[in-house]
Amino acid sequence: MKVLCLLSVLFVAVNSLRVNEFNGKNWVVLVAGSNSWFNYRHQADVYHAYQIVKKNGIPDENIIVMHYDDIANNKANKFPGKVFNHPSHKDVYPGVPKDYTGKEVTPENFLKVLAGDQGLKNEGKKVLESGPNDHVFVFFDDHGAPDLVAFPNKYLYSDPLLKTLKQMHQDKKYGKLVFYIEACEAGSMFANLPDNINIYATTAANGKESSYAIYNDATVGTYLGDEYSVNWMENAEAAPAETLQQQFDVTKTKTKGSHVQHFGDLSIASLPISQFLGHSKLSVEVTSDDNTLVNNKDFPLVLAQQSADYQELSVLSTGRQFLDTVFEEYVNSIQHLMNANNDVFNTRLELNNRECYHNFVD
């Protein structure tokens, strides 16, 4: 019996060692796809993520940050040169690399960065130079819609993203890759993610709902973060020894406005967070009494209401009413071509013609 017990202990210990064993390099890609003051929270989220991985020992040469960089020194910023992701007003902007800023923040550059594009590298730009033993962590934060996430002037659809990820796997650009997306309908981006290419992904929302902003700060004059993003980051700081699965469970439970999802190779979730975000022995307890949520699609309206900008509120409301009228007239004009029971105004239909949809959106 003692021999059997000893063998069991050894078996668990050896297998635990194998699970936690990681001898490669860490690479991190952080992307805020928006610009302008009312999208403050997206860049704030990304800056916070940078501070976490930097503190955890990942060197800047292995971190690539893509952000418009128009928040810290925005004329609307009452704290020039500073950006906050929490009501405690801890500055998350110091030291953030400016690898891709302004007009360089495009879906094309993002995909080239992931692919390790030689052309960008020849221009002196940072790209992923990861190898088959390395772990890659990608965090994207912006607006989204079914089958797309937004950049300042263009959209990234799921097909080109998945094509790039599959090519990365074929080219042995990583051992394991973890991808987090903060965006409305973000789940639609990974609906077709294979489970056999060593990628684990989580999203702020499923493919049919909005994600939510959080931490309304009257002093700053905007929301400081997004619910899913601050939840996973604050968990990473408070419990750095957890696994990805434990972080997912905590984030899912704490995120009230939307349904956090995960996709791909779920076995990767058994690995420690530290294998992707670096390792820190320090934990930080983060608390706040302000957990007011706002639907990201309604954020411009809410911001205009809070700032008593009635002119902007009127413009936004009139614009929404105009679009509602245009679409209602159009749908009514083709109703005879549709099933009489198909109420397109109150039913969320499945996307079944992506090419037509992409052309329409563009």
Side-chain angles (χ1 to χ4, degrees), residues 246-259:
Q246 289 172 311
Q247 183 177 94
F248 173 81
D249 292 338
V250 170
T251 303
K252 185 176 182 179
T253 299
K254 293 185 68 175
T255 303
K256 307 298 185 182
S258 57
H259 298 84

Side-chain angles (χ1 to χ4, degrees), residues 22 24-27 128-136 168 171-176:
F22 172 56
K25 294 181 180 179
N26 284 112
W27 294 82
L128 273 182
E129 299 185 63
S130 48
N133 297 319
D134 297 340
H135 284 182
V136 177
M168 290 174 67
D171 294 342
K172 296 181 169 42
K173 293 287 293 181
Y174 60 85
K176 290 179 174 59

Side-chain angles (χ1 to χ4, degrees), residues 290-328:
D290 186 359
N291 289 320
T292 306
L293 302 177
V294 61
N295 188 316
N296 272 316
K297 294 183 184 301
D298 293 328
F299 188 82
L301 284 172
V302 173
L303 192 60
Q305 289 171 337
Q306 291 182 347
S307 60
D309 189 343
Y310 299 113
Q311 182 178 355
E312 177 69 8
L313 185 61
S314 176
V315 169
L316 291 169
S317 299
T318 302
R320 283 192 166 200
Q321 185 176 4
F322 170 75
L323 284 175
D324 287 344
T325 301
V326 168
F327 277 99
E328 185 173 356

